[in-house]
Amino acid sequence: MESSDLRKLGLKVTLPRIKILEILAASAVHLSAEDIYRQLLEHGEDIGLATVYRVLTQFEAASLVRRHHFEGGTAVFELNRGEHHDHIVCMDCGKVEEFLDCGIESRQLDVAKKLGFQVEEHNLILYGRCRRKNCPHRRTDS
Amino acid sequence: MESSDLRKLGLKVTLPRIKILEILAASAVHLSAEDIYRQLLEHGEDIGLATVYRVLTQFEAASLVRRHHFEGGTAVFELNRGEHHDHIVCMDCGKVEEFLDCGIESRQLDVAKKLGFQVEEHNLILYGRCRRKNCPHRRTDS
DNA sequence: TTTGCTGCAAATGCTTTGCATGTAG
DNA sequence: CTACATGCAAAGCATTTGCAGCAAA
């Protein structure tokens, strides 16, 4: 149960928060606020879009979820499962893969230090084309 | 004169486009559409904000300028001076520095290849704190 | 009971668009 | 002269906020 997680964050355990957490936990892909809202409606829940945004923002502040801005104005969210990773996005089908490269990570710190900065966080997104037979070569949109 | 640049792109050489190009060329820092609009007004030009956006979008499509999304919904623009670079942003004062690290660049290609992707472009932004005496520790906002 | 949460609708902020006019080529 | 550019105001879209009612602790 994630209820304990919520309580630890000083957040009341409410239906919207539990449901949103469940949806995020069940999803293999990154979801937008609208995506989550739509799923809630499909599940018969009567939860407002504003609440979805509010909850996601709180979860982000609590490091429970991560917010990403891929192409297009819409933000997407994923559950923070602990291990940091960066993303590569297929420009044809929209597929997102995660990766972690220690070399890149450590070089970032080096570069920053050389410039007199102390890195707090970073944002790395690779855009490319996945050369797979099943790549539809056009985004089907979730 | 940049007029020739414009003509080569199939764009008519108009006052708004020349002025916007000049402002971008003269600026050492990244400018938002509003920043540019404000400078145009200060220079006594009567150019609409919508035009600034339209021109910047055309310039971006023509690879004349680059658009970046740092923190906060506002996009910023810089003249494309040829050499690729990434950015590091000070979370305290908003200062932006540019850097290029061949190690990071090449490792990105490796990682992507390993995942079956062919990289077209990427977006790397480091967020940190510049440990300088003159860092105002709070954004003064252009 | 008290503080925090929710839904709704309205507001926001950045960016884009429709349209009538203006102007570069 | 014609196609493309512009200014203005209105629209669009993702996200946030105000407020009155609700519910967890």
Side-chain angles (χ1 to χ4, degrees):
Chain A
M1 260 302 112
E2 299 98 333
S3 320
S4 46
D5 294 335
L6 293 177
R7 240 181 299 261
K8 263 183 285 181
L9 300 172
L11 297 174
K12 285 184 180 171
V13 180
T14 63
L15 198 101
R17 293 189 181 150
I18 294 173
K19 287 294 170 192
I20 291 173
L21 221 41
E22 284 179 3
I23 288 176
L24 285 168
S27 173
V29 302
H30 300 71
L31 299 173
S32 68
E34 280 277 348
D35 290 336
I36 295 172
Y37 176 60
R38 211 173 311 121
Q39 287 202 32
L40 287 168
L41 295 187
E42 286 167 11
H43 293 207
E45 303 297 340
D46 189 16
I47 294 173
L49 179 56
T51 300
V52 175
Y53 274 107
R54 267 187 293 235
V55 168
L56 288 171
T57 302
Q58 293 164 335
F59 284 1
E60 186 195 16
S63 297
L64 242 178
V65 309
R66 292 243 144 80
R67 185 193 302 246
H68 302 290
H69 296 277
F70 299 152
E71 0 123 73
T74 335
V76 293
F77 301 83
E78 69 177 332
L79 214 53
N80 177 5
R81 293 182 161 91
E83 3 63 54
H84 162 74
H85 58 254
D86 295 306
H87 296 91
I88 182 164
V89 183
C90 178
M91 297 166 86
D92 287 329
C93 65
K95 181 178 178 58
V96 178
E97 299 242 23
E98 305 175 346
F99 68 87
L100 176 65
D101 183 277
C102 301
I104 292 177
E105 300 290 322
S106 67
R107 272 182 163 281
Q108 286 178 2
L109 301 180
D110 293 347
V111 167
K113 190 195 284 183
K114 207 173 305 176
L115 291 170
F117 280 73
Q118 187 179 339
V119 187
E120 296 284 317
E121 52 182 301
H122 71 262
N123 185 330
L124 171 60
I125 305 172
L126 271 30
Y127 296 96
R129 309 189 186 282
C130 69
R131 292 262 164 261
R132 307 269 174 77
K133 312 116 213 83
N134 57 348
C135 172
H137 267 268
R138 193 58 243 144
R139 170 90 43 95
T140 31
D141 204 15
S142 58
Chain B
M1 261 302 114
E2 299 98 335
S3 320
S4 45
D5 294 334
L6 293 176
R7 240 179 303 257
K8 263 185 284 183
L9 301 171
L11 297 174
K12 285 183 180 171
V13 180
T14 64
L15 199 102
R17 299 213 249 238
I18 293 173
K19 287 294 171 193
I20 291 172
L21 220 42
E22 283 179 1
I23 287 175
L24 285 167
S27 172
V29 303
H30 300 71
L31 299 173
S32 68
E34 280 277 348
D35 290 335
I36 295 172
Y37 177 60
R38 210 173 311 121
Q39 288 202 32
L40 287 168
L41 295 187
E42 286 167 10
H43 292 208
E45 303 297 340
D46 189 16
I47 294 173
L49 180 56
T51 300
V52 175
Y53 275 106
R54 267 187 294 234
V55 167
L56 287 171
T57 302
Q58 294 163 335
F59 284 2
E60 186 194 17
S63 296
L64 243 178
V65 309
R66 293 241 144 81
R67 185 193 302 246
H68 302 289
H69 296 277
F70 300 150
E71 359 121 74
T74 335
V76 292
F77 301 83
E78 69 176 331
L79 213 53
N80 177 5
R81 293 182 162 91
E83 5 62 55
H84 162 75
H85 58 254
D86 295 308
H87 296 92
I88 182 163
V89 183
C90 178
M91 297 166 86
D92 287 329
C93 64
K95 182 178 177 58
V96 179
E97 298 240 25
E98 306 175 346
F99 68 85
L100 175 65
D101 184 278
C102 301
I104 292 177
E105 300 291 322
S106 68
R107 272 185 163 280
Q108 286 178 3
L109 301 180
D110 293 347
V111 167
K113 190 195 284 184
K114 207 174 304 173
L115 292 169
F117 279 72
Q118 186 178 339
V119 188
E120 297 284 318
E121 53 182 300
H122 72 264
N123 185 333
L124 171 60
I125 305 173
L126 271 30
Y127 296 96
R129 309 190 187 281
C130 69
R131 293 265 163 258
R132 306 269 174 78
K133 311 115 213 87
N134 57 349
C135 171
H137 267 271
R138 193 58 243 144
R139 172 91 43 98
T140 33
D141 203 15
S142 56

